Each structure stands twice: as C-alpha cells, then as structure tokens.
Amino acid sequence: MRDSDVAPVQPLGTAARHASLRVPVAAPHDTVDAVLAAMRGQDYDSAAVVAVCRAGVLVGLATIERLLAAPGDRTVGSVMDPDPPRVAPGTDQERAAWKAVQHGEPGLAVVDGQGRFHGLIPPQQLLGVLLEEHDEDLARIGGFLHTTAGARTASEESVARRLWHRMPWLAVGLAGALLSAAMVAGFEDQLVDNVAIAYFIPGIVYLADAVGTQTETVAIRGLSVGVGIGRIATREALTGLLVGLLLAAVLLPVLVLVWGEPALAAAVAVAVLAASAIATLVAMALPWLLARLGFDPAFGSGPLATVVQDLLSILIYLVAVSLLLG
C-alpha cells in the first residue's frame, strides 16, 4: 500500500484537475485483510475505491463494498474490476463525470496513454462537476452568456442595459418585417387572383421557425458537452432536409384533397421542404458567425435567425407560387 501527494495543478475543466493521488492504492497480490488494515488511520480524499496498480500502471479498481464482502485471504486482484472506466488527463470534466455515471462507478481513474495512474476523481468531485455543468447548460439553454456568472449578470442588469442589449437586434427584426411586407406586395397580382395563397404563409413561417429552434437546441446541448458544430453539421443538415421531405409528403396529398388545387399544394410543399432545410443551416450558422464577429449570440442569434428564416421562407413560397401557378 502507498499514499501519494495530491496531483500537480492541471488546466481548468479537465479530468486531471479533479484527480487526486490521496486515495488507497494496492498491488494485485495484496490480500483484502492487508489492504483494509493499511487503510485504517489514513487520511484520504476518498476511500470509496482502491486503485490497483502494478509498477505505477493501473490494472483495476476495487470498491470498498467488494473488499468488505470478500474473504480476508483473497487477493485484491481477484475482487477488482479489471476493466474500469478510465479517462485521459486532458479529458473534458463533464465527459469524465458522465463516463463514471454511465458505468455506475463511485470513482473514475485518470491514466495516460501508457496506462500510468495519475489519480482518482472522487465521487464528491464527480457530483460537483455535474452540478457545475448543469448550471452552465441551463444558462446556455436559457439564452444567456457562456457562464453561470454571465447568466446572473444578464438576469440582474438594469432596464436600460436590457434595452441596450436587445433593441438593436429587435430593430433588425422590425426591418425584416417591413421587408417581408414589401415582398408580399410584390406578388400582389397573384394574391388578388387567388387569395388562398395568403392562407399558407403563417404556417410555412411557423414550420421554418420550429425546425430552426429544434436545431438550435440540439446545437446548444452538443456544445455544452464539448461537441462542436462541425461534428453535428452534416447529420443535422440531413435531418432538416428529411424533416422537410416528410412534412411536404404529408401536406401535398392533404392540400390537394382539401383545396383541390394541385399547383398551390405543390408550391406549399416545395416551400416547406426548402424552408426546413434552410432553417436548419441558418440555426447552426448564425450563432457561430455572431460569436466569430465578437457579438453575444445569446441576444442576437434568436431574433436574427427568426427574421432570416422568415424572409427566406416567404420568398421561396412566393417564387414557387409564381412559377407553379403562372
């Protein structure tokens, strides 16, 4: 048995930052009685798990419950888990915590590429990481800044600051509303000839906004656990396209049956398909672009994405109507 010092300071947000060497360590050939006896009187950061090592290389973990349930003459190697969850020192702290939870372990071993033991993340540290990341995830999903402290500041700021942060983006939305009115006015002849064309504009706009909101939620959840936009872009774009195809496939026969106008039904279906696919791309691209330009995407991406999606959806629909209805 040995008891080492606390691991050196590591970068914030990594598994190594939370790992401790002030944990019980045993060799595979040590007996259960010898390990338990050596643990008495020691001051550990956590004694829930015993790290089983051979020449500094982790070979398994043995929980205190297994040790207490085993006969005293059994070796630690015979009661340990030979393939416990383990992470590299540079692993993101939230990924590390979730790995321990998924494997049902009270502790998580940190090892390097050669299997050398760098410490154990105790259960109380794992819980602290999960709570911290949970608060940060709620802050992001709530449309605040990237940290809990930022979220608190945004929640408590004065009315004047709230207006300063929000009104410029809402002014962009107002300009978009005026532009959409001008676009609709440009197709006045078609609307006069067939007023039913106007009936579907709110529904197409709503579907585009709904698809975009779903994509934003998926992107935020991915970012909160270290998954970048690049890793979800292809699958999310394909999902948006398939959602549009499915919605169009449902709408087309229903509209033909109810309205009896195949050309109008086709225009609506084409608009829904295109709007769903484009809304997905806009919902992923705008937050990233605003962040790169130095703006807070928490305030800007929602209003800006909405107006861009709405304008494109209306434009696509009216162009489709013009082409298909003559």
Side-chain angles (χ1 to χ4, degrees):
M1 294 282 296
R2 65 184 179 83
D3 190 344
S4 303
D5 294 330
V6 177
V9 174
Q10 299 290 341
L12 291 171
T14 62
R17 179 71 177 183
H18 301 280
S20 173
L21 288 169
R22 290 176 52 83
V23 296
V25 180
H29 59 268
D30 291 336
T31 65
V32 171
D33 275 346
V35 171
L36 293 175
M39 289 174 63
R40 294 189 181 94
Q42 299 296 322
D43 183 19
Y44 297 114
D45 287 339
S46 174
V49 181
V50 175
V52 185
C53 299
R54 183 184 293 114
V57 175
L58 182 76
V59 295
L61 294 178
T63 63
I64 192 67
E65 291 86 358
R66 286 191 177 187
L67 292 176
L68 292 173
D73 58 352
R74 291 277 297 277
T75 63
V76 177
S78 67
V79 299
M80 72 179 184
D81 178 2
D83 187 27
R86 62 189 78 191
V87 294
T91 301
D92 179 81
Q93 61 180 13
E94 186 174 10
R95 288 188 180 183
W98 278 114
K99 187 165 187 176
V101 170
Q102 290 165 357
H103 285 77
E105 295 284 354
L108 184 65
V110 179
V111 299
D112 60 21
Q114 288 71 47
R116 290 190 294 267
F117 182 60
H118 282 246
L120 195 75
I121 304 179
Q124 63 270 25
Q125 286 286 348
L126 293 172
L127 180 60
V129 168
L130 291 175
L131 288 174
E132 176 186 338
E133 295 291 341
H134 175 68
D135 285 345
E136 185 174 343
D137 292 350
L138 288 179
R140 289 175 177 174
I141 293 173
F144 296 112
L145 307 178
H146 291 294
T147 64
T148 305
R152 184 175 295 109
T153 299
S155 298
E156 298 175 352
E157 65 185 1
S158 66
V159 173
R161 294 294 296 174
R162 291 170 192 263
L163 291 174
W164 175 258
H165 283 141
R166 300 180 189 183
M167 285 306 299
W169 299 111
L170 295 177
V172 173
L174 180 60
L178 296 175
L179 181 57
S180 66
M183 288 170 50
V184 173
F187 291 84
E188 183 177 358
D189 292 341
Q190 288 90 339
L191 292 171
V192 170
D193 291 339
N194 189 350
V195 70
I197 294 173
Y199 298 164
F200 301 101
I201 293 177
I204 293 170
V205 168
Y206 162 75
L207 287 174
D209 290 343
V211 172
T213 300
Q214 289 179 331
T215 296
E216 288 177 5
T217 302
V218 171
I220 289 171
R221 286 177 176 173
L223 291 171
S224 70
V225 294
V227 180
I229 292 294
R231 292 179 58 186
I232 69 170
T234 301
R235 284 174 291 180
E236 195 61 29
L238 180 58
T239 300
L241 179 61
L242 291 175
V243 166
L245 281 171
L246 291 172
L247 291 173
V250 171
L251 279 172
L252 184 59
V254 171
L255 293 181
V256 171
L257 180 64
V258 174
W259 294 93
E261 297 187 41
L264 178 58
V268 173
V270 168
V272 168
L273 168 59
S276 298
I278 292 174
T280 300
L281 299 177
V282 171
M284 288 188 292
L286 278 180
W288 173 83
L289 180 61
L290 288 174
R292 291 295 298 269
L293 294 176
F295 296 104
D296 182 7
F299 292 107
S301 59
L304 191 56
T306 298
V307 70
V308 170
Q309 291 165 3
D310 291 354
L311 287 173
L312 290 175
S313 301
I314 294 172
L315 179 61
I316 292 168
Y317 174 53
L318 293 178
V319 169
V321 164
S322 179
L323 293 176
L324 295 175
L325 274 70

